[in-house]
Amino acid sequence: MSDRMISVTMRINGEKTGPVDLPEDLMLLEYLHEYLNLTGTRYGCGQGVCRACAVIHDGAAGAEPIPACITGVAWANGRSFRTVEGHATRDDDGNVTQLTSVQQAFLDHFSFQCSYCTSGFVAAATALVERLEAAPIAPEDVEDVVLDALNENICRCTGYVRYLEATRDVILNTPGLTRAAVTEENPS
Amino acid sequence: MKRVALILAGLLALVVILAGVVYVAFTGPGDIPPASRDLANLSREDRAQMEEAGEYVARAGDCVACHKSPDGLALAGGTAMETPVGSIFGSNITPSRDHGIADYSADDLYRAMVYGITPDGGHLYPAMPYTSYHAISRADSDALWVWLMAQDPIERPNRPAELIFPFNLRPLVAFWNLIFRSDPPDQPVAGLTGADTGNDPVARGRYLVEVLGHCGECHTPRNLAYARKPDAHLQGTVIEDALAPDITPGALARRGWNAADLEDFLAEGLSPQGVMTFRMFPVLSHSTKYLSPEDVSAVAAYLTEGAPAPAPPAPNDGALTDNAPGHALYLGLCAGCHGAEGQGQPFGSVPLRGNTSAMFDDPLNLVRIIREGIPARHLTGYQRMQEMPAFADRLNDDELAALVNYLRQRWGGHDRALSEEDVAGASG
């Protein structure tokens, strides 16, 4: 760990954090765990490959999952992120009152067992749903788009199918995420 | 006016006739030495031994790199080679009667390998590296023939070359050969197989590099006629949108390579200087990882022959403050895997301290790797590297330039910063 420090400010789950002096080579995941006590984001491979550490970056291009374990606070500085703790609706005491449709679907579909990968899947699926709100797709493309969006997230228990089915159901059952299929009667 | 036209027509006719005479008289194949042994009457043991030797020749010559099909069938043909004048596709060299080389005799294979001429007198494009294979020993060519003929035929039609006029006129290659194919071969012909292989590792390394390995086909700059420049041998050039670097002994030493590093790189795809990337990764997969340790050493010995002691540029930590935007980007996007000090991680990511790509004058490879990433690599044995993500969507031109300059300044020995245009415009 470097002994050079930088002053860092960022938004996490809508709340401003910092300014705080951090080692310049600290990773975003360590900041979440060690400084903010947000431990729902998981450390998996430590190489940005398994995506257990995925969080949502709310940037100019919209919501995008990024691997927090290899993304440094030097880059995160001044940006805005959402972790798994920030998705559900909470009451004034901080208790969860309403899960998001993605979270609820993962429960309904029994998508996970050990849950180590789950916060990463929530990030990837949520970012996908938000992207589709801006740019709906044809229903017949949903399967491929879901697979593409979740393909990098690794799960060692359940074989992925229930994650994919849950995400597909959310997309097909939420108005505005899909548009009518392109047909001869209904050209796009 | 009419008279001028007549004279011009006459001159043109003369040129055509002369060209025809030259074509017929001077552009055929040169000598074809007798077969190294009686190939029609091989004992079972001899045939097995020649097949084994021939497979090794095929590996060393990296036939599969260009002759595999896009869907991965070895020797079935179809891999594209991009040239400035169009695409050429590796041909089917399985013993298929309709599409392959079933009718080739051992003499025919030698003629194609050495002179670039098919059994019916047609000319191969020099994308087939016959000007390198030119000095293959007859024994190696024969072993290769025995092995090729023992492979399963694959019924895949060849894809014709797609070249612009006049390069689509194959007979013109004859005149190219007249100028650029040095007959007889001016390289040592001690082969890998047969009786005359010799014991000098540097000579064997030279044969592996210059003849079978045809390294110069990518690493030597080409002239306007797309022939390799003899005075710039192995001095590096951009080919197929990537820099094939200068691999002369002096240049390798300046980038910190010694013979042991080269041995690791060729045998395992990895050395302290980096990992096989772009078109060099298939070279590892199909060719260099199959070379015997002795042959890998021979190649390394030849490539470092007469080189001074390795003297790579010292890391320059001044870049941390001189290029603060680049340093912040490095820490934010790269250091998670490559380490704050560029130390890398075993089985994950290469060290950047001492990385060869940061040292090239041309930033092309560095820019492409940052923009496009690198797929996960299964190198050899247990050795592998994780996927490197693509950062094209994360970095604007200004940031890309800062990061590229930072890597070049901190570990590449470069003082001068490249402009944003130089970096963003880097492409093949």
Side-chain angles (χ1 to χ4, degrees), chain A residues 47-99:
Chain A
Q47 297 176 330
V49 172
C50 77
R51 301 276 156 165
C53 67
V55 297
I56 293 177
H57 169 229
D58 287 306
E64 168 202 31
I66 58 134
C69 74
I70 56 163
T71 303
V73 293
W75 186 80
N77 197 3
R79 297 174 189 269
S80 179
F81 300 91
R82 273 177 288 160
T83 70
V84 71
E85 291 89 349
H87 294 297
T89 310
R90 292 171 189 265
D91 63 19
D92 293 342
D93 299 328
N95 300 313
V96 171
T97 55
Q98 173 78 53
L99 293 174

Side-chain angles (χ1 to χ4, degrees), chain A residues 155-168:
Chain A
C155 166
R156 296 284 78 156
C157 303
T158 63
Y160 307 102
V161 175
R162 288 164 182 271
Y163 273 128
L164 301 182
E165 286 175 350
T167 309
R168 184 194 62 196

Side-chain angles (χ1 to χ4, degrees), chain A residues 20-69:
Chain A
V20 53
D21 285 341
L22 300 175
E24 64 170 8
D25 58 346
L26 194 77
M27 291 297 125
L28 175 59
L29 183 66
E30 296 169 295
Y31 179 58
L32 297 174
H33 283 183
E34 307 295 336
Y35 291 77
L36 304 180
N37 200 29
L38 295 173
T39 55
T41 304
R42 301 285 166 55
Y43 182 89
C45 67
Q47 297 176 330
V49 172
C50 77
R51 301 276 156 165
C53 67
V55 297
I56 293 177
H57 169 229
D58 287 306
E64 168 202 31
I66 58 134
C69 74

Side-chain angles (χ1 to χ4, degrees), chain B residues 328-396:
Chain B
L329 286 166
Y330 179 77
L331 290 171
L333 297 177
C334 316
C337 294
H338 292 287
E341 302 302 319
Q343 69 270 32
Q345 289 180 48
F347 306 108
S349 47
V350 295
L352 296 182
R353 176 188 283 260
N355 186 274
T356 224
S357 294
M359 297 176 193
F360 301 144
D361 288 334
D362 188 333
L364 172 61
N365 290 6
L366 208 51
V367 169
R368 275 196 62 195
I369 289 165
I370 293 171
R371 276 182 171 156
E372 301 167 25
I374 306 176
R377 294 288 201 218
H378 180 186
L379 298 169
T380 55
Y382 296 116
Q383 190 56 264
R384 57 204 68 210
M385 282 285 129
Q386 294 289 9
E387 175 187 352
M388 165 156 165
F391 289 93
D393 295 340
R394 293 267 197 98
L395 297 167
N396 60 34

Side-chain angles (χ1 to χ4, degrees), chain B residues 174-299:
Chain B
F175 299 99
W176 188 93
N177 287 342
L178 204 59
I179 304 168
F180 298 112
R181 192 186 70 202
S182 53
D183 297 336
D186 58 359
Q187 293 162 343
V189 292
L192 300 183
T193 57
D196 57 348
T197 56
N199 292 320
D200 178 3
V202 171
R204 192 172 171 95
R206 183 178 181 199
Y207 181 74
L208 283 162
V209 168
E210 307 290 1
V211 183
L212 292 185
H214 60 283
C215 307
E217 298 287 340
C218 290
H219 286 277
T220 299
R222 292 174 183 271
N223 61 22
L224 281 177
Y226 215 58
R228 285 172 288 141
K229 293 179 184 169
D231 57 348
H233 189 55
L234 301 183
Q235 289 178 14
T237 187
V238 171
I239 184 166
E240 294 191 315
D241 298 335
L243 176 70
D246 187 337
I247 53 168
T248 56
L252 287 170
R254 281 195 298 282
R255 299 200 305 270
W257 292 81
N258 62 29
D261 297 331
L262 278 171
E263 289 175 14
D264 289 346
F265 195 67
L266 294 166
E268 296 171 12
L270 188 69
S271 75
Q273 289 78 14
V275 67
M276 294 251 187
T277 324
F278 300 126
R279 283 294 277 254
M280 208 49 202
F281 179 66
V283 174
L284 170 79
S285 317
H286 303 308
S287 179
T288 61
K289 77 174 184 185
Y290 294 102
L291 293 179
S292 70
E294 295 75 24
D295 281 346
V296 168
S297 297
V299 169

Side-chain angles (χ1 to χ4, degrees), chain A residues 81-155:
Chain A
F81 300 91
R82 273 177 288 160
T83 70
V84 71
E85 291 89 349
H87 294 297
T89 310
R90 292 171 189 265
D91 63 19
D92 293 342
D93 299 328
N95 300 313
V96 171
T97 55
Q98 173 78 53
L99 293 174
T100 65
S101 54
V102 166
Q103 288 173 312
Q104 190 61 51
F106 283 174
L107 288 174
D108 294 344
H109 283 259
F110 298 97
S111 295
F112 52 88
Q113 288 181 23
C114 87
S115 87
Y116 204 82
C117 65
T118 304
S119 51
F121 270 98
V122 170
T126 303
L128 171 63
V129 165
E130 293 179 8
R131 281 204 304 279
L132 298 185
E133 283 170 1
I137 54 170
E140 63 267 27
D141 294 335
V142 168
E143 200 97 19
D144 290 341
V145 169
V146 168
L147 179 58
D148 191 47
L150 303 186
N151 203 24
E152 293 202 65
N153 292 62
I154 290 176
C155 166

